Amino acid sequence: REKEQAWMEEEKARISRETEELQHYEWERKADEFHLAQANLRSKIRIREGRAKPIDVLAKNLNSDDLDVEIAEPYKLFKGLGVPALEELQRDIELHQSLDTVNQEFWAAMVLVCADELAQAKRQEAWAAGGQRARIAEEGVHSAIEGDVVKAFQGKTVHELAEQESEIRATLESDAA
C-alpha cells in the first residue's frame, strides 16, 4: 500500500512537471510571437515614415502587405553597407531568425550572406589601410586577374562548381601542376 502511494505521488509530481513544462513552452512561444509582431510593426512604421533600415526591407519581403518597398534579390541590399551598418544588420537578422520560426531557412541564408558581406567589408577596410600588398597577401589574387577569377565561377550551378573543383584538385595533384 505504501509503495503504491509513493508511486502515485511520484506520478503526480511527474505529471505536474510535464504540465509546467508545457505551460512554460507555450508562454515562451507566445512571447516570441509578440516580439516578432512588435519587430514587424516597428519595421512597418519606419518604412511608412521613409526611414527604413535594411532589416525592414528584408522583413518586408517576407510579408505580403501593400507597403511600397520591394527588392528583387535580398542579397543586393547588403552591397555598399559599411562595417557598422552590417554589424547592426547582422544582429537584427539573428534576432529575426530566433523569433521567426516560419521563415528559418530564409533567415539562415541571410545570416550567411550578411556574415560574408561583413567579412568582405572588414577586408576592404584592412586593404584600404594596408594597401595593395596587404590585399594580395591575404587574398592571393591580384586585382588584375580578380575579374577573370570571378567570371570563371559566376553563374555556375552547384554541380558544375563541384565538377570544376574536382578537375582543379586533380590538376593540382598531378604532375601537370
Side-chain angles (χ1 to χ4, degrees):
R1 178 93 178 131
E2 287 179 18
K3 286 183 182 178
E4 191 174 302
Q5 195 163 11
W7 178 81
M8 289 294 283
E9 290 296 321
E10 285 178 23
E11 197 62 22
K12 283 181 185 178
R14 185 186 62 77
I15 290 171
S16 176
R17 280 191 309 272
E18 287 178 359
T19 304
E20 285 178 23
E21 284 178 19
L22 284 173
Q23 288 173 343
H24 182 72
Y25 172 77
E26 185 65 21
W27 177 79
E28 279 186 348
R29 187 185 62 75
K30 285 182 179 180
D32 286 348
E33 285 176 2
F34 172 77
H35 289 295
L36 181 61
Q38 290 299 302
N40 287 335
L41 181 60
R42 285 190 302 271
S43 288
K44 286 179 182 179
I45 291 169
R46 284 191 297 260
I47 289 170
R48 191 174 334 122
E49 293 177 353
R51 50 186 186 88
K53 294 169 48 175
I55 191 68
D56 300 334
V57 179
L58 287 175
K60 163 63 181 94
N61 278 322
L62 293 175
N63 300 328
S64 59
D65 54 22
D66 60 349
L67 294 177
D68 194 24
V69 176
E70 290 289 334
I71 55 173
E73 293 99 7
Y75 72 87
K76 289 183 177 179
L77 182 68
F78 297 87
K79 299 295 181 197
L81 295 178
V83 172
L86 285 167
E87 287 172 340
E88 179 183 357
L89 180 56
Q90 186 176 37
R91 286 189 299 274
D92 290 339
I93 290 171
E94 288 169 353
L95 173 69
H96 274 76
Q97 183 183 27
S98 70
L99 297 175
D100 187 357
T101 57
V102 175
N103 299 300
Q104 283 292 308
E105 197 172 319
F106 173 80
W107 293 116
M110 292 300 101
V111 164
L112 292 175
V113 171
C114 190
D116 182 61
E117 289 293 329
L118 182 58
Q120 284 183 11
K122 286 181 177 179
R123 277 196 305 270
Q124 293 232 334
E125 278 187 359
W127 296 337
Q132 184 67 18
R133 286 189 179 155
R135 180 176 182 191
I136 293 171
E138 184 176 321
E139 284 290 312
V141 177
H142 193 277
S143 60
I145 63 166
E146 184 175 8
D148 294 335
V149 172
V150 169
K151 286 179 190 173
F153 299 110
Q154 197 170 27
K156 296 204 175 185
T157 66
V158 173
H159 178 71
E160 291 171 329
L161 289 171
E163 190 176 297
Q164 191 171 10
E165 179 185 17
S166 10
E167 290 172 6
I168 291 170
R169 288 186 187 278
T171 301
L172 291 174
E173 291 171 359
S174 73
D175 290 334

